[in-house]
Amino acid sequence: MNLTETIKKDIITAMKGKDAETLTILRTLSASLKNKGIELKRELEDTDVVSVVRSDVKKMKDALSEFKSAAREDLAEKAQIEIDILNKSLPADMPVE
């Protein structure tokens, strides 16, 4: 099973578990993956998926540092949760530090 299928199954699990926060994050990731597939004009391979996830994690880490510098702990906490959920989408040997 490739990473795209795993993410789709995680979306279904979040829907069944009524986990709205995880569902929103995974749907956003799915949209990013779809946009990347359209950009490349081919099916995404696992390396492409990892690249997109890492890119999204990097964006959230940048936002996290901005939120902390602006003393917005509420937004910083949400950003950290999103980073954690996105890291779960990566293979075990490839988490973003």
Side-chain angles (χ1 to χ4, degrees), residues 55-87:
S55 173
D56 284 357
V57 169
K58 184 179 183 309
K59 288 177 194 173
M60 287 312 301
K61 283 188 177 187
D62 291 343
L64 178 64
S65 65
E66 291 295 321
F67 294 148
K68 285 185 177 181
S69 69
R72 292 295 309 263
E73 291 302 319
D74 55 330
L75 295 176
E77 185 177 315
K78 287 181 181 180
Q80 186 60 52
I81 291 169
E82 186 167 342
I83 290 168
D84 294 340
I85 292 171
L86 288 172
N87 277 331

Side-chain angles (χ1 to χ4, degrees), residues 4 8 24 30-31 36 39 43-46 51 58 63 65 70 73 77 79 85 87 94-95:
T4 305
K8 286 180 183 179
T24 300
S30 180
K36 186 67 169 182
E39 177 186 325
E43 288 291 318
L44 294 179
E45 298 173 5
D46 282 350
S51 172
K58 184 179 183 309
S65 65
E73 291 302 319
E77 185 177 315
I85 292 171
N87 277 331
M94 297 184 160

